[in-house]
């Protein structure tokens, strides 16, 4: 994030379609899933449509599943093995390209993962492990946010970027003269393009794949065509989130996956730094990787905020549940404003040289854009840290503090029994017979 959206692949084909049509395609693709989630009210439609915890019957969980399917729904450790193997295979490709600079390539590649993986591992140790969040579940959402999210963003950001450039050739995400009108227009473009599309690509899978309990799993999928009751059919798509910690941590994992693949793209693919190894610019690869490592983490934060909102929807009483707009919009706006402010700052100097804005006015604009940058980045981090337990006064604690959900919502009990417990066990817990005489 933070760099102009320039894509060469697919631009030639896109030129044969009018700009309004391209824009409509991209907006429908990024807004359509949220409209579908908001409109579908069946409990099996998505995680968002699950009934409130205070509306759920204590005898609702009557569906039985096999032991293998239970393990699959919780996230198998094989997903972690798959993630490690894929990461090693990609590293091998770059090492094969420049084997004489093995340690430089490995160091740069490792820094693409360093920040996100350290933060995610620390969060899992503090609140994931005590609440039985499987590392395999995090690995699976890491891959969803990385592979599916990046693919979604590449396709529709390219389409929307072409549309904006053709609709407004003198003011878009790549051409940003520092004027009030262009700044407002380009900020809107940044919010609707990387803000909306990337946050959709990262968070969508949480809503479509998660269910709070087995009884909310659909029996069939794809318009009822295919069965979804086992790990070897469409049931492999779904995962269970029995606690808020599952939702928040998997949101962080999805953002981490997207962030790591984007780092690889900027470090190894968007530059010729690998080819320049051994020249006077040979240190560029490590320098770019270091810069990406230092600015990594914001994708995790923005998706984590959406995950926090989804957790509130799933685990709070009806009168405390948020609206979908309140859950998604803050991250979309903060993401878009962050990217906009970075690009806008780079255009202040250019606008001064072109005589578009005076030096004094340019300083004012630079301060304003820097304020946007700080609020959208540091503000987002502080917001998620506070939501997950960061406290400086009274009982001090760090972010992702153990029991942060119970501390914020003491009236909302976290589910203490597995979501796939059989009917006989569930009845025994509440001390009622299976069959009354």
């Amino acid at each position: 994030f933070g760099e102009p959206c320039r894509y060469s692949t697919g631009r030639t084909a896109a030129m044969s379609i009018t700009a309004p049509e391209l824009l409509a395609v991209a907006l429908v693709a990024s807004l359509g899933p949220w409209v579908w989630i908001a409109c579908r009210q069946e409990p099996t439609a998505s995680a968002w449509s699950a009934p409130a915890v205070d509306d759920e019957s204590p005898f609702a969980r009557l569906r039985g599943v096999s032991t293998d399917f239970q393990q699959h729904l919780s996230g198998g450790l094989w997903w972690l093995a798959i993630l490690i193997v894929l990461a090693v295979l990609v590293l091998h490709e770059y090492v094969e390209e420049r084997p004489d600079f093995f340690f430089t390539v490995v160091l740069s590649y490792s820094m693409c993962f360093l920040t996100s993986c350290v933060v995610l591992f620390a969060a899992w140790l503090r609140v994931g492990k005590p609440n039985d969040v499987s590392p395999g579940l995090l690995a699976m959402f890491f891959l969803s946010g990385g592979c599916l999210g990046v693919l979604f963003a590449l396709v529709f950001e390219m389409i929307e970027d072409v549309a904006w450039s053709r609709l407004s050739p003198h003011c878009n995400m790549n051409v940003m003269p520092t004027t009030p009108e262009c700044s407002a227009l380009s900020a809107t473009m940044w919010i609707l393009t990387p803000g909306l599309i990337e946050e959709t690509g990262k968070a969508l899978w949480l809503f479509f794949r998660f269910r709070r309990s087995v009884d909310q799993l659909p029996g069939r999928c794809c318009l009822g065509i295919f069965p979804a009751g086992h790990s070897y059919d469409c049931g492999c798509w779904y995962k269970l989130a029995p606690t808020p910690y599952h939702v928040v941590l998997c949101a962080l994992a999805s953002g981490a996956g997207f962030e790591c693949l984007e780092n690889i793209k900027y470090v190894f693919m968007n530059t010729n730094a690998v080819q320049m190894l051994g020249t006077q610019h040979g240190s560029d690869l490590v320098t770019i990787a270091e810069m990406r490592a230092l600015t990594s983490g914001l994708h995790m934060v923005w998706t984590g905020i959406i995950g926090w909102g989804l957790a509130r929807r799933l685990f709070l009483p009806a009168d405390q549940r948020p609206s979908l707009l309140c859950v998604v919009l803050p991250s979309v706006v903060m993401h878009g404003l962050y990217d906009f402010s970075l690009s806008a700052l780079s255009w202040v100097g250019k606008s001064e040289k072109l005589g578009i804005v005076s030096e004094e006015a340019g300083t004012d604009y630079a301060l304003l854009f820097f304020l946007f940058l700080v609020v959208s980045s540091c503000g987002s981090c502080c917001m998620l840290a506070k939501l997950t337990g960061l406290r400086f006064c009274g009982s001090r604690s760090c972010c992702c503090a153990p029991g942060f959900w119970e501390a914020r919502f003491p009236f909302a009990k976290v589910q203490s029994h597995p979501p796939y417990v059989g009917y006989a066990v569930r009845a025994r817990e509440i001390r009622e017979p299976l069959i009354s005489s």
Side-chain angles (χ1 to χ4, degrees), residues 48 207 247-248 303-316 320-323 326-328 387 405:
W48 188 259
F207 291 76
V247 182
V248 174
T303 313
I305 292 173
I306 295 178
W308 170 269
L310 178 58
R312 289 179 58 201
R313 177 77 178 188
L314 285 172
F315 296 98
L316 293 185
Q320 299 290 327
R321 304 174 91 191
S323 66
C326 292
V327 169
V328 178
L387 291 174
W405 183 267

Side-chain angles (χ1 to χ4, degrees), residues 65-82:
V65 295
S66 65
T67 302
D68 290 341
F69 195 31
Q70 291 175 13
Q71 295 175 350
H72 168 81
L73 292 171
S74 300
L77 286 177
W78 60 83
W79 284 108
L80 184 59
I82 291 173

Side-chain angles (χ1 to χ4, degrees), residues 10-177:
R11 281 183 178 269
T12 303
M15 292 300 291
S16 62
I17 307 174
T18 65
E21 290 173 340
L22 288 173
L23 184 59
V25 169
L27 291 178
V28 167
S30 52
L31 288 173
W34 299 118
V35 174
W36 190 92
I37 288 171
C39 293
R40 292 290 299 273
Q41 299 299 319
E42 301 89 344
T44 58
S46 70
W48 188 259
S49 59
V53 290
D54 54 347
D55 292 339
E56 192 173 41
S57 167
F59 287 98
R61 301 179 179 86
L62 302 180
R63 179 177 173 181
V65 295
S66 65
T67 302
D68 290 341
F69 195 31
Q70 291 175 13
Q71 295 175 350
H72 168 81
L73 292 171
S74 300
L77 286 177
W78 60 83
W79 284 108
L80 184 59
I82 291 173
L83 174 60
I84 294 174
V85 169
L86 289 176
V88 171
L89 289 176
V90 174
L91 172 61
H92 179 265
E93 291 297 317
Y94 291 118
V95 170
E96 283 289 303
E97 186 176 350
R98 297 304 302 267
D100 47 333
F101 292 93
F102 174 83
F103 291 107
T104 301
V105 173
V106 170
L107 176 62
S108 302
Y109 186 82
S110 300
M111 283 192 286
C112 293
F113 291 84
L114 180 64
T115 304
S116 298
C117 290
V118 167
V119 172
L120 185 61
F121 181 69
W124 177 78
L125 281 180
R126 288 173 64 80
V127 297
K129 187 177 180 181
N131 289 280
D132 298 324
V133 179
S134 169
L137 185 67
L138 299 183
M140 192 275 299
F141 276 98
F142 187 101
L143 289 170
S144 294
C147 300
L148 299 178
V150 168
L151 179 62
F152 183 93
L154 283 174
V155 172
F156 294 109
E157 281 188 46
M158 180 272 295
I159 294 174
E160 201 162 321
D161 185 31
V162 172
W164 292 131
S165 298
R166 292 168 63 183
L167 285 171
S168 179
H170 303 296
C171 178
N172 50 62
M173 294 189 299
N174 301 316
V175 180
M176 297 172 57

Side-chain angles (χ1 to χ4, degrees), residues 214-363:
V214 166
D215 66 290
Q216 293 164 9
L217 292 171
R220 307 187 71 84
C221 66
C222 302
L223 302 177
I225 299 175
F226 303 108
H230 303 86
S231 58
Y232 53 79
D233 54 27
C234 285
C236 67
W237 174 253
Y238 301 102
K239 293 292 178 285
L240 291 180
T243 73
Y245 302 103
H246 286 70
V247 182
V248 174
L249 286 177
C250 287
L252 294 176
S254 184
F258 190 100
E259 187 117 54
C260 292
L261 262 69
E262 190 177 65
N263 287 345
I264 293 173
K265 174 177 176 288
Y266 283 123
V267 173
F268 290 93
M269 299 172 65
N270 280 21
T271 68
N272 61 348
V274 176
Q275 290 74 26
M276 297 297 290
L277 288 172
T279 69
Q280 59 179 347
H281 300 290
S283 62
D284 286 356
L285 184 68
V286 177
T287 302
I288 297 171
E290 289 174 346
M291 293 175 61
R292 295 297 305 182
L294 290 174
T295 58
S296 288
L298 286 175
H299 274 296
M300 296 179 67
V301 170
W302 291 321
T303 313
I305 292 173
I306 295 178
W308 170 269
L310 178 58
R312 289 179 58 201
R313 177 77 178 188
L314 285 172
F315 296 98
L316 293 185
D319 59 346
Q320 299 290 327
R321 304 174 91 191
S323 66
L324 186 60
L325 188 65
C326 292
V327 169
V328 178
L329 188 61
S331 294
V332 170
V333 173
M334 291 298 102
H335 187 161
L337 286 180
Y338 177 82
D339 288 1
F340 159 74
S341 58
L342 281 177
S343 293
L345 280 169
S346 68
W347 269 89
V348 173
K350 299 176 185 178
S351 297
E352 290 178 357
K353 292 179 180 179
L354 294 172
I356 298 174
V357 64
S358 66
E359 185 174 347
E360 182 180 355
T363 302

Side-chain angles (χ1 to χ4, degrees), residues 87 149 382 395:
C382 292
S395 179

